[in-house]
Amino acid sequence: MLTRWVVVSAMSLSAVAAQAALCSEELANQVTKSNGKGAAKALAPVATAQDLAVPADAALNPMAQLQNIAREASRRSAQVGAVKLLADAAAYDVDETRGAALPQVSVTGTVGPGASRSTGIPWASGTYAGATLNVSGLIYDGGRLSQLTQWRRELAKAATFTAQSTREQVVLETISTALERNRYRQQAQVYQQYTRKMACLVDALQQIVAEDRGRASELVQVRKTQAQAEMARDAALTQMRQTEIRLRKLIGEQIGAGDGISAALGQTLDTGEVLRLMEQGSELRQMRAQSEASERYADAMSAALKPQVNWVVSSTAGLRGETKTASAQAGLSVTYSVFRGGSDQAAAAAASRRAESARQQYAELLASRAARVSEVHEAAVASFDRARRFVDILKDSDKVRAATFQQWSQLGRRSLFDVMSAEGDHFNLRIAYVNALHDGYQANAQLRSMGESLSTWLGIQGL
C-alpha cells in the first residue's frame, strides 16, 4: 500500500511539473499582450478578442488623443451649442440697451374720415391724412441707461464664461469617461490572465485526479476559483461596455476611444500653481461677472429714482380735402416720479441685496474651490504613491507565487491552498495597482480642469 501511494504521488508530481512550464509560458504571453502588443486568444465566449484588443488609436501621441477627444466632444455637444446661442443672445441684449441712449426717431401716419369745427366756421368734414415725426434724445437720467448698459455687458460676459464652463464640463466628463473605460479594460485583462492561470491548474489537476481520485476536491476548488475569476472578468467587461456606450454618446465612433491618454495625465500639478490659475477659470470669472452685473443693476435702480430729462422735437402735417395743415414743436420733457407707493425704493433695495448676495456667493465659491483643489491634489499624490508601493509589493508577490507554484508542482512541499492563495493575492494586487493609477489620472484631470482648464491646456478654447 505504501509503495502504491509513493508511485501515485510521484506520478501526480510529474503531471503537475509537466503543466507548470505551460502555465508559466502562458502567463508570460499574457503579460506581454497586456502591454498592448497583441490581442488575447482562446477567450471565453463572453470575452471576445475584440473586447480586449488594443484599438488602433493607442499608437497616437497621448496629447493628440486627448485633443481629438476634447475637440470632438465639444463639437458634438448640443449643450455647448445651446449655451453659445445664449451668449450670442446676451450680446444682442447689450446692443438693445445701448441703443436706448441714442436719439429716438419715430414716424406716425393717419388716414380716414374726420370732421372739425372752429368758432365762426361751419363744420368741415372729409377724408383726412396726416403724418407726425417725433425726434427725442436723452439729456439726463441720473446714469440709469448707462448702468443698465453696463449691466447687460456684464451679463454678456457671464454668458460667455458660462459657455466656456459648459464646454469644460463636457471635456472633463469625456476624458473621465475615457479613463474609466481604460480602467475596466485593464481590469478585464488582469482577470483574463487570472482565468488562464486557473485553467492551467485545472488541466494539471485533471491529470492528477486521473491517477489519484482522493484529490478530486482540489480540482473542484480550482474550478470554483476559475469560475469566480471569469465572473470578475465578465463584470469588468460589462462595465467597460457600459462606459463605451456613454463615451460613444459623447464623441461618436469617428475617432478612437483614447486608450493611450493616461500618459499625458501622469504629472500632478503643484497646489500653488492650480490656486494661482484657478481665479482665471471660467466658472469663477462667470461668478465675478454676475456679481458685477448685480451691482450695476442696483445702481440703475437707484438712478431710476432721479428725474429723467429728454429733448423732444415734433412735427405734424395733415391734409383734408384741399386744406393743408402743419405744426412743429420743440422743447424739453421732464419726468419725475413723486409717489408710487414706495415701489421704486423697494426695487432699488432688493437689487442692492441681490448684489451683496452675489458677492458673498463668489467668496464662498472661491473658498470651497480652494479647499477642493487641496483635496484633489492630496488624492492624486496618495493614488500615485499607492501605485508606486504596489509595484514593489508586486515584485515580491510575483516571487512568492512563482516559488509557491514550483514547490507545489515539483517538490510537493506546498498545498494547493497555498498556490491558490498566492495567485489570488497577486492578481488582487494587480487590480489594486490598476485602480490606484486610474484614480491618480482622474484626480490629475480634475486638477487641470480646476486650474487653467483642460480646454486651455489642450489648446481648444477657440472652438
Side-chain angles (χ1 to χ4, degrees):
M1 180 65 68
L2 178 60
T3 303
R4 182 177 181 279
W5 179 84
V6 171
V7 171
V8 170
S9 298
M11 293 177 65
S12 299
L13 289 175
S14 176
V16 174
Q19 284 295 116
L22 293 177
C23 288
S24 299
E25 181 181 356
E26 180 71 24
L27 183 61
N29 290 338
Q30 285 302 304
V31 170
T32 300
K33 291 173 181 179
S34 71
N35 291 328
K37 297 180 180 179
K41 296 186 294 183
L43 304 180
V46 71
T48 64
Q50 183 178 2
D51 290 325
L52 296 179
V54 177
D57 76 321
L60 295 177
N61 179 279
M63 281 295 291
Q65 291 186 58
L66 280 174
Q67 288 170 342
N68 288 344
I69 289 174
R71 186 176 293 108
E72 189 67 13
S74 298
R75 186 186 68 82
R76 290 174 56 90
S77 174
Q79 186 179 7
V80 171
V83 293
K84 282 183 178 180
L85 292 174
L86 291 177
D88 293 341
Y92 285 118
D93 287 339
V94 176
D95 294 338
E96 177 190 2
T97 308
R98 185 172 54 225
L102 300 176
Q104 307 294 301
V105 180
S106 64
V107 177
T108 303
T110 304
V111 62
S116 65
R117 182 182 181 184
S118 300
T119 303
I121 301 176
W123 281 94
S125 61
T127 300
Y128 174 81
T132 302
L133 172 66
N134 286 296
V135 182
S136 63
L138 177 66
I139 296 178
Y140 174 79
D141 67 349
R144 174 179 169 275
L145 276 177
S146 176
Q147 294 297 336
L148 284 176
T149 301
Q150 191 59 33
W151 168 59
R152 292 287 192 181
R153 284 198 182 98
E154 295 300 331
L155 288 180
K157 287 182 184 178
T160 300
F161 295 139
T162 299
Q164 295 174 2
S165 179
T166 301
R167 182 186 60 211
E168 179 64 18
Q169 292 171 9
V170 170
V171 170
L172 177 61
E173 179 188 2
T174 304
I175 291 176
S176 296
T177 304
L179 287 172
E180 283 300 289
R181 175 194 176 277
N182 293 351
R183 179 200 299 265
Y184 295 131
R185 182 175 177 276
Q186 291 184 21
Q187 286 182 2
Q189 288 177 332
V190 173
Y191 284 126
Q192 176 66 12
Q193 293 166 23
Y194 190 20
T195 300
R196 285 180 171 275
K197 189 59 182 288
M198 292 302 101
C200 286
L201 291 177
V202 167
D203 291 341
L205 283 166
Q206 283 176 339
Q207 297 185 36
I208 294 173
V209 171
E211 304 294 336
D212 184 1
R213 289 291 180 181
R215 301 181 67 178
S217 62
E218 294 183 5
L219 178 59
V220 174
Q221 177 67 25
V222 176
R223 281 176 173 168
K224 184 195 78 170
T225 304
Q226 180 186 8
Q228 290 174 333
E230 289 173 349
M231 288 176 62
R233 177 203 61 196
D234 295 344
L237 286 172
T238 298
Q239 290 176 304
M240 184 191 76
R241 293 185 187 112
Q242 291 173 346
T243 308
E244 280 182 337
I245 292 172
R246 297 199 304 270
L247 192 60
R248 227 175 269 124
K249 172 183 174 292
L250 293 168
I251 62 176
E253 301 183 10
Q254 291 79 12
I255 62 175
D259 279 59
I261 64 175
S262 302
L265 294 168
Q267 180 184 3
T268 302
L269 296 178
D270 180 70
T271 306
E273 180 69 8
V274 178
L275 291 175
R276 184 183 68 81
L277 296 170
M278 181 181 65
E279 293 193 41
Q280 300 306 313
S282 55
E283 188 172 355
L284 284 171
R285 294 176 74 182
Q286 171 198 346
M287 285 293 296
R288 284 203 301 271
Q290 289 178 338
S291 176
E292 186 67 23
S294 297
E295 292 182 9
R296 298 288 75 76
Y297 186 75
D299 293 340
M301 291 297 98
S302 297
L305 301 176
K306 299 177 181 179
Q308 312 291 304
V309 182
N310 293 275
W311 58 266
V312 180
V313 175
S314 177
S315 176
T316 302
L319 175 65
R320 180 179 288 111
E322 300 296 329
T323 303
K324 296 180 180 180
T325 60
S327 65
Q329 294 178 342
L332 297 178
S333 170
V334 181
T335 303
Y336 180 68
S337 177
V338 177
F339 179 73
R340 297 181 61 182
S343 60
D344 292 344
Q345 290 80 359
S352 177
R353 298 301 188 277
R354 292 190 181 95
E356 179 61 27
S357 174
R359 284 191 293 270
Q360 293 187 14
Q361 287 176 10
Y362 173 76
E364 176 63 24
L365 177 63
L366 185 62
S368 61
R369 184 57 65 89
R372 179 60 180 161
V373 166
S374 298
E375 291 176 8
V376 175
H377 182 270
E378 180 64 25
V381 172
S383 295
F384 286 120
D385 182 62
R386 287 199 310 273
R388 282 190 291 270
R389 293 184 180 186
F390 278 131
V391 170
D392 295 332
I393 296 173
L394 279 167
K395 291 178 182 178
D396 293 336
S397 174
D398 191 53
K399 293 177 183 178
V400 169
R401 66 195 278 264
T404 302
F405 185 77
Q406 183 181 27
Q407 291 170 4
W408 173 74
S409 62
Q410 298 179 9
L411 305 176
R413 294 179 180 177
R414 291 296 187 98
S415 67
L416 178 65
F417 176 80
D418 294 331
V419 175
M420 302 284 287
S421 177
E423 293 293 340
D425 288 344
H426 182 75
F427 282 100
N428 286 336
L429 285 170
R430 291 184 62 186
I431 292 295
Y433 172 70
V434 169
N435 287 334
L437 276 181
H438 284 82
D439 287 344
Y441 297 145
Q442 292 278 19
N444 279 348
Q446 292 182 46
L447 281 177
R448 291 280 184 187
S449 181
M450 289 187 290
E452 62 181 333
S453 85
L454 285 166
S455 300
T456 302
W457 179 52
L458 296 173
I460 63 168
Q461 64 271 25
L463 292 178

